């Protein structure tokens, strides 16, 4: 397992309430990837922050829900606890306008990960209109009659039909993905959506594979990249997208998306979010 002892995870925390960009702690993506030369995918990490607040020029608290798009090609990711502490540091800081807050977020996050980060701040009343709770037009595999005997990732559980069979285009999804923080071992819960074109993926094997992550320790982004790579290697689809919608912790949810086709994730959010 990758060593993350240099992060703030699992350590005593001092909560700042005055703006402090130095709280952001980047972690190089290369630390968990075997090779950066040929990723084999494009995509984004979509973060949602439900606890953003600052003071206006008159000292009146302001609220927003924030969405942050980090390209999967960025040099680094932001360690999630440091992101929460950074957002908390806005709480007693006065800004002249919402645009000033937005510009500050874009500048700081882009500098931290060495890539252009997209930021949107939503009024609370408008958020659901832009991001309604919905499910894709796909097939949930969770009701397969399977026996589970592996709780560490096992790519050998994945297989598809014969290449001579007619190819299919479908979305398969499961609400049973659970992984664990690689430092604190706290549980992380997610729904994972797999859209592909190619020989049909065996649904029972896919479900067993997803459940096999149940005791696995890694960051959300690396878990999704492993799922993507394992499906590509084992099932060899012509096209593939893997999208995990993780439940929030500390007011933040992280939703990694990796695809052979398009870099922007779909716009739906899952009912547990």
């Amino acid at each position: 397992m990758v060593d993350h002892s240099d992060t703030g995870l699992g350590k005593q925390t001092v909560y700042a309430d005055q703006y402090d960009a130095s709280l952001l702690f980047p972690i190089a993506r290369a630390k968990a990837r075997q090779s950066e030369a040929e990723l084999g995918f494009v995509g984004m990490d979509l973060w949602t922050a439900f606890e953003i607040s600052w003071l206006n020029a008159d000292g009146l608290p302001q609220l927003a829900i924030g969405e942050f798009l980090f390209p999967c090609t960025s040099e680094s990711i932001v360690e999630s606890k440091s992101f929460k502490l950074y957002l908390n540091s806005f709480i007693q800081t006065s800004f002249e306008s919402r645009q000033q807050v937005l510009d500050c977020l874009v500048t700081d996050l882009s500098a931290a990960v060495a890539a252009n980060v997209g930021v949107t701040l939503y009024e609370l009343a408008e958020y659901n209109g832009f991001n309604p709770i919905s499910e894709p037009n796909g097939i949930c595999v969770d009701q397969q009659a399977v026996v589970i005997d592996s709780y560490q990732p096992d790519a050998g559980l994945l297989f598809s039909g014969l290449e001579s069979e007619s190819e299919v285009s479908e979305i398969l999804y499961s609400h049973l993905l659970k992984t664990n923080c690689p430092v604190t071992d706290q549980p992380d819960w997610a729904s994972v959506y797999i859209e592909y074109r190619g020989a049909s993926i065996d649904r029972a094997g896919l479900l067993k594979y997803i459940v096999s992550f149940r005791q696995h320790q890694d960051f959300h982004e690396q878990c999704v990249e492993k799922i993507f790579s394992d499906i590509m290697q084992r099932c060899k689809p012509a096209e593939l997208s893997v999208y995990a919608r993780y439940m929030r912790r500390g007011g933040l949810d992280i939703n990694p998306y990796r695809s052979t086709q398009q870099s922007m994730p779909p716009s739906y959010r899952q009912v547990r979010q």
Side-chain angles (χ1 to χ4, degrees):
M1 186 175 69
V2 178
D3 180 14
H4 296 292
S5 60
D6 56 344
T7 73
L9 286 169
K11 300 175 183 176
Q12 185 173 357
T13 300
V14 177
Y15 294 93
D17 62 5
Q18 292 292 325
Y19 165 70
D20 186 356
S22 70
L23 292 168
L24 291 169
F25 190 95
I27 298 174
R29 290 190 188 270
K31 195 171 184 178
R33 288 174 175 167
Q34 292 184 346
S35 173
E36 291 281 314
E38 295 184 12
L39 294 178
F41 51 72
V42 294
M44 293 279 182
D45 300 325
L46 171 60
W47 294 53
T48 314
F50 293 89
E51 300 173 6
I52 301 178
S53 182
W54 65 94
L55 304 179
N56 69 10
D58 296 321
L60 182 67
Q62 306 294 294
L63 297 174
I65 294 175
E67 282 193 344
F68 306 87
L69 278 169
F70 296 88
C72 71
T73 52
S74 65
E75 182 178 302
S76 301
I77 61 174
V78 176
E79 188 274 308
S80 61
K81 182 178 179 180
S82 78
F83 198 174
K84 297 166 192 171
L85 294 174
Y86 165 72
L87 292 177
N88 284 341
S89 78
F90 283 64
I91 290 175
Q92 288 299 110
T93 305
S94 294
F95 291 89
E96 292 295 326
S97 65
R98 179 178 293 261
Q99 185 62 48
Q100 186 182 17
V101 176
L102 182 68
D103 293 342
C104 185
L105 291 165
V106 170
T107 298
D108 293 345
L109 293 168
S110 297
V113 303
N116 293 325
V117 177
V119 181
T120 303
L121 293 179
Y122 292 97
E123 297 279 356
L124 271 61
E126 69 179 350
Y127 179 71
N128 193 60
F130 285 99
N131 298 276
I133 292 173
S134 61
E135 292 284 11
N137 186 22
I139 300 167
C140 182
V141 301
D142 292 346
Q143 303 308 313
Q144 304 293 309
V146 297
V147 175
I148 305 295
D149 55 11
S150 176
Y151 297 104
Q152 288 293 341
D154 183 358
L157 297 168
L158 293 166
F159 61 95
S160 60
L162 300 174
E163 293 184 7
S164 59
E165 292 180 346
S166 298
E167 73 174 21
V168 301
S169 294
E170 63 182 2
I171 299 174
L172 303 177
Y173 64 92
S174 171
H175 300 307
L176 300 183
L177 178 62
K178 175 195 166 286
T179 59
N180 299 280
C181 173
V183 179
T184 66
D185 202 31
Q186 291 184 76
D188 293 312
W189 308 89
S191 295
V192 60
Y193 301 85
I194 296 156
E195 182 172 6
Y196 73 97
R197 178 174 64 85
S200 60
I201 296 175
D202 180 80
R203 295 173 186 177
L206 177 63
L207 176 59
K208 293 174 72 172
Y209 170 74
I210 291 169
V211 173
S212 76
F213 278 77
R214 194 167 179 84
Q215 293 182 327
H216 180 62
Q217 292 181 300
D218 215 338
F219 290 127
H220 303 8
E221 298 89 343
Q222 278 76 56
C223 290
V224 170
E225 291 182 8
K226 178 168 179 55
I227 292 170
F228 181 96
S229 297
D230 285 348
I231 293 175
M232 284 297 296
Q233 292 172 9
R234 292 284 301 176
C235 302
K236 298 179 171 54
E239 298 176 3
L240 175 64
S241 298
V242 177
Y243 191 22
R245 300 285 306 190
Y246 273 90
M247 307 305 107
R248 75 185 78 164
R249 271 207 279 124
L252 277 175
D253 65 37
I254 304 172
N255 309 282
Y257 175 76
R258 301 293 182 267
S259 175
T260 57
Q261 299 303 113
Q262 59 185 33
S263 60
M264 291 298 293
S267 60
Y268 54 81
R269 63 189 173 104
Q270 204 267 335
V271 67
R272 290 183 291 172
Q273 298 178 308

